[in-house]
Amino acid sequence: MDTHKGTTLALIASAQWGATGIWVALLRDLPTATTLVFRFLTATLLLTIVLAALRGFRRPNRSALEGGVLLAAYYVLATVGFYLSDVVTVSLLVATSPFFVMLLRLLRREGLTGRELLGGLLAFGGVATVLLLGAAPAAGESHLTGDLCGLGAALVMALYSRAGDRLRGQGWNVVWIACALGLLVSAPFADPGAAVPDARQWGLFLGLAAFSTLAPGYLYPLACQHINATSATVVRLSTPFFTALFAFLILGEALGMEHLLGAPLLLLGVYLTLPRGPSARA
């Protein structure tokens, strides 16, 4: 395995995923379902054109279908989360996926070390800090649903990350299936009377589709082929930092006290929950 290449690919994918909340925040003037539909529609059409030009269509296997379902669920949950809560908080919650990996191992009655249990407690404390100390939402607005969607996306990503090796050679198939399925699922919830996106919004959808949907969805499985799942997840912990940087530079949003206090606990805890040794390569 080429560790340097795998780490670089995972870091690029993390930066691209970190920008997802920024694209979505800039599209909040559209209904949530409308954004989902046009996100998946743009990505599906763009990927279909690319694959047709490169003759890159392959027959999907069962793992590609399963991966596509998980990736579609991740995109839907993360997008809704970014709509309803602040982007840095949701990005931090999504980063708790290794914590859910640990819980899945616990449910399977696999042995956990004291370090992993300590990490779980720290991660839980970090999540609680971020949620409880967060700024009070505006009148009539609740961030709870958005935060829960962020945690749901983390759970789905935990399942997706464990499928890395089985997706070898199926990267584009997984992304295309995810986008097409996401379009089918979100279309019934879109308002037929909603305005068609203007030129600026179409540009944002193209950026969201190409930069933060297609590219990382393809690069991350590639990264998992060169480094083990644990290493890829460690690199993915950089995603909230990219989100915070983009939010400050583009949206003008500074970190709140809940982020400054909760993020170190959460990320350190998540790091400690990562398995070590041969089992980490599974």
Side-chain angles (χ1 to χ4, degrees):
M1 293 189 292
D2 189 338
T3 302
H4 177 72
K5 180 178 180 180
T7 301
T8 300
L9 290 173
L11 188 63
I12 293 173
S14 296
Q16 293 171 321
W17 266 323
T20 302
I22 312 304
W23 300 109
V24 174
L26 295 173
L27 288 164
R28 282 175 177 160
D29 49 339
L30 291 174
T32 307
T34 300
T35 293
L36 286 170
V37 166
F38 282 102
R39 175 186 187 178
F40 289 124
L41 175 63
T42 306
T44 302
L45 292 177
L46 187 60
L47 183 55
T48 300
I49 293 172
V50 170
L51 291 179
L54 299 177
R55 297 182 179 180
F57 284 105
R58 292 185 179 183
R59 182 177 180 178
N61 57 28
R62 179 176 178 179
S63 293
L65 295 173
E66 294 173 352
V69 171
L70 291 172
L71 194 59
Y74 169 80
Y75 286 140
V76 170
L77 289 169
T79 300
V80 174
F82 287 128
Y83 246 87
L84 301 179
S85 187
D86 70 272
V87 295
V88 177
T89 294
V90 173
S91 185
L92 282 169
L93 295 175
V94 171
T96 62
S97 58
F99 173 71
F100 286 100
V101 171
M102 186 194 72
L103 292 181
L104 291 173
R105 292 176 57 211
L106 188 62
L107 291 175
R108 293 170 62 180
R109 298 184 178 181
E110 297 180 12
L112 298 177
T113 65
R115 175 186 50 77
E116 290 172 325
L117 293 174
L118 174 61
L121 291 175
L122 289 175
F124 180 81
V127 170
T129 300
V130 169
L131 297 181
L132 296 178
L133 295 184
E141 179 186 4
S142 172
H143 289 186
L144 178 60
T145 300
D147 294 339
L148 291 177
C149 285
L151 290 173
L155 173 59
V156 172
M157 183 50 63
L159 297 171
Y160 181 71
S161 296
R162 293 175 66 90
D165 244 5
R166 300 195 302 274
L167 300 179
R168 186 179 298 274
Q170 293 286 329
W172 286 125
N173 281 342
V174 172
V175 178
W176 192 93
I177 291 169
C179 294
L181 182 60
L183 177 61
L184 291 175
V185 171
S186 58
F189 298 96
D191 181 6
V196 176
D198 57 27
R200 168 185 166 276
Q201 292 165 338
W202 273 118
L204 293 173
F205 280 121
L206 284 173
L208 176 59
F211 188 79
S212 294
T213 303
L214 298 184
Y218 177 69
L219 291 178
Y220 193 72
L222 283 183
C224 292
Q225 293 174 20
H226 294 284
I227 54 179
N228 60 53
T230 298
S231 299
T233 306
V234 169
V235 177
R236 188 173 167 77
L237 293 181
S238 64
T239 298
F241 294 101
F242 286 112
T243 302
L245 177 62
F246 296 147
F248 177 75
L249 294 177
I250 299 174
L251 303 179
E253 296 182 0
L255 294 177
M257 185 59 65
E258 70 277 13
H259 302 130
L260 296 176
L261 294 178
L265 286 174
L266 189 155
L267 296 177
L268 175 60
V270 167
Y271 174 76
L272 292 176
T273 64
L274 298 176
R276 303 296 197 273
S279 62
R281 296 182 179 274

